[in-house]
Amino acid sequence: MLKLTTYTGADQIHGVAQCHSLGPSKPNPTFPRRKDAISLVPCTSAPSKTPVLAVVSDRGAGSVLSETGPGRVEHSVSLADRLRQGSLAEDGKSYKECFIVRCYEVGINKTATVETIANLLQEVGCNHAQVVGFSTDGFATTTTMRKMHLIWVTARMHIEIYKYPAWSDVVEIETWCQGEGRIGTRRDWIMKDYATGQVIGRATSKWVMMNQDTRRLQKVSDDVREEHLVFAPRELRLAFPEPNNSSLRKIAKLEDPAPYSRLGLVPRRADLDMNQHVNNVAYIGWVLESMPQEIIDGYELQTITLDYRRECQQDDIVDSLTNVEPLEDGPAISGLEGTNGSPAAAEDTKDYRQFLHLLRLSGDGSEINRGRTVWREKPAR
């Protein structure tokens, strides 16, 4: 993993924009070196010779999109756009961003928590939406969506983590979105160790459209589809291209009584997002609250899949239930071809455990969320 050593505030201001394609070219930032230190270079490939266009949305400031053709438009960009360490791919169909793991983002294993990973995935997805000109007031809403009071909500999230980054490690996350039938869209991610290029995680998600006023699901109209998918890859690209991969597995409902439970969980105000419902990352923490302590002590989470069944509001009280689920086959990390890179596939002799999860309302037992987790034996320290 790439480590960043301490540097001055002047160095930071000089270097934070080094991954973005905006503004005049600057030399790479210089950091004090240890013997094993590696100088930081931009998180994108060689600078594109493609002219930069401003995509102007009704949120005001323009965002950048690489395209060719006459009629280029000069438009000022926000300070956040200039300092953010990310940029679009040359074809404009995916987005990459680099992140440094902060000390407050690591947990008891001295590595980033799964909530940290999920938050980074959400952050890079939202930043991608901003860069292509979508609104910031509802997670990538288009002009038509805002006119019709429509928002995106998560239907399924699947995350696999092969190696957890530690404090001060630098990770590079690439994301892109695509259509998913007539009722939704999907977003995929590839996470790499920036120093080595090794794939250390992958994720995929499905999103459906909801009316913000009625809270009812709605089909994706052709107008919204055209606005949204203009920035999607023209050919199908999946973070999990393997046939019968675990992201496709259905999750059975866990029936009560469950041997492990945590009852009476209450959403905090900080758990609410800009759409006025509990942020999808909060559900991950609730699921883990009912895990048996011996698993937390001796294993680390490799895979989590969550199906979101209903919204959770601030006044709801939630029960978290967990039960063991037999492993059908040992979860192997298969080599990947093409655009996804290749995670390390050394001979796997670790012990794995698998669990089913259910989040429900304490009052009437209504199902909020069902999930599955796979845990691998912790590496020797």
Side-chain angles (χ1 to χ4, degrees):
M1 288 287 185
L2 176 61
K3 300 283 186 178
L4 295 186
T5 55
T6 305
Y7 52 93
T8 66
D11 287 332
Q12 183 179 15
I13 296 300
H14 178 73
V16 285
Q18 48 80 34
C19 286
H20 207 282
S21 59
L22 296 176
S25 60
K26 298 180 181 180
N28 292 335
T30 303
F31 300 94
R33 286 178 174 268
R34 299 190 308 266
K35 286 185 178 180
D36 60 344
I38 303 173
S39 57
L40 186 63
V41 295
C43 68
T44 56
S45 55
S48 171
K49 297 180 180 178
T50 310
V52 176
L53 286 179
V55 178
V56 183
S57 72
D58 61 3
R59 67 185 174 94
S63 302
V64 256
L65 175 64
S66 294
E67 283 192 4
T68 57
R72 296 195 302 274
V73 179
E74 295 290 339
H75 199 288
S76 62
V77 296
S78 69
L79 180 62
D81 287 331
R82 290 188 177 276
L83 299 185
R84 186 174 291 128
Q85 300 184 34
S87 62
L88 289 168
E90 289 192 16
D91 63 1
K93 304 303 184 182
S94 70
Y95 174 83
K96 288 183 182 180
E97 188 166 350
C98 298
F99 298 92
I100 304 168
V101 178
R102 314 294 182 177
C103 65
Y104 54 81
E105 295 173 325
V106 303
I108 59 175
N109 295 330
K110 300 181 180 179
T111 56
T113 65
V114 65
E115 291 97 331
T116 293
I117 300 299
N119 276 319
L120 291 179
L121 298 179
Q122 183 169 274
E123 174 72 7
V124 73
C126 289
N127 291 345
H128 180 203
Q130 282 188 294
V131 165
V132 299
F134 293 153
S135 172
T136 61
D137 63 355
F139 292 145
T141 54
T142 67
T143 302
T144 301
M145 290 177 66
R146 289 190 295 282
K147 289 179 180 177
M148 301 177 65
H149 295 189
L150 301 174
I151 58 175
W152 295 111
V153 293
T154 314
R156 168 172 270 223
M157 187 76 183
H158 178 86
I159 304 172
E160 295 186 7
I161 305 171
Y162 312 125
K163 182 180 180 182
Y164 281 87
W167 177 22
S168 294
D169 285 345
V170 180
V171 296
E172 178 189 82
I173 303 176
E174 181 183 12
T175 187
W176 63 95
C177 59
Q178 292 178 300
E180 181 71 17
R182 295 294 300 175
I183 63 171
T185 187
R186 67 180 295 139
R187 178 172 287 279
D188 286 25
W189 297 265
I190 299 290
M191 183 169 64
K192 295 182 179 181
D193 175 348
Y194 179 62
T196 66
Q198 178 189 7
V199 174
I200 59 174
R202 297 183 286 169
T204 187
S205 61
K206 296 182 180 179
W207 299 71
V208 293
M209 191 171 289
M210 173 185 284
N211 185 290
Q212 195 166 14
D213 301 324
T214 66
R215 316 307 285 183
R216 293 182 178 276
L217 299 184
Q218 188 162 328
K219 287 186 177 181
V220 181
S221 68
D222 290 338
D223 289 341
V224 172
R225 190 176 302 278
E226 289 177 5
E227 289 175 329
H228 188 70
L229 296 183
V230 67
F231 303 107
R234 292 200 168 99
E235 295 183 3
L236 183 64
R237 181 187 175 193
L238 302 175
F240 297 92
E242 305 91 336
N244 302 318
N245 66 80
S246 59
S247 74
L248 304 174
R249 294 178 59 195
K250 292 184 177 181
I251 303 175
K253 183 178 179 180
L254 189 158
E255 300 296 340
D256 208 12
Y260 309 103
S261 63
R262 182 71 181 273
L263 309 180
L265 298 170
V266 180
R268 304 171 303 160
R269 291 189 179 95
D271 293 328
L272 300 182
D273 62 24
M274 65 182 76
N275 291 328
Q276 301 301 312
H277 59 229
V278 173
N279 188 285
N280 59 69
V281 178
Y283 295 93
I284 296 176
W286 289 343
V287 163
L288 300 183
E289 282 295 311
S290 58
M291 282 297 299
Q293 189 61 43
E294 60 268 23
I295 299 298
I296 299 295
D297 293 340
Y299 294 77
E300 62 182 6
L301 182 64
Q302 174 169 297
T303 302
I304 183 167
T305 310
L306 296 177
D307 284 340
Y308 297 86
R309 300 286 169 154
R310 58 165 292 159
E311 287 186 286
C312 185
Q313 308 294 337
Q314 183 179 352
D315 295 332
D316 290 334
I317 301 176
V318 178
D319 294 338
S320 175
L321 309 178
T322 292
N323 199 358
V324 177
E325 183 182 36
L327 277 167
E328 296 178 358
D329 295 299
I333 301 175
S334 57
L336 299 179
E337 302 292 339
T339 57
N340 288 349
S342 180
E347 184 177 353
D348 194 351
T349 59
K350 293 186 178 69
D351 180 27
Y352 289 87
R353 303 294 176 89
Q354 184 169 279
F355 295 85
L356 281 178
H357 306 276
L358 175 68
L359 297 179
R360 69 183 184 189
L361 292 179
S362 291
D364 60 9
S366 297
E367 185 178 15
I368 301 172
N369 184 295
R370 64 176 67 177
R372 172 183 290 115
T373 58
V374 178
W375 300 72
R376 61 174 174 259
E377 191 177 10
K378 283 184 180 179
R381 298 292 181 184

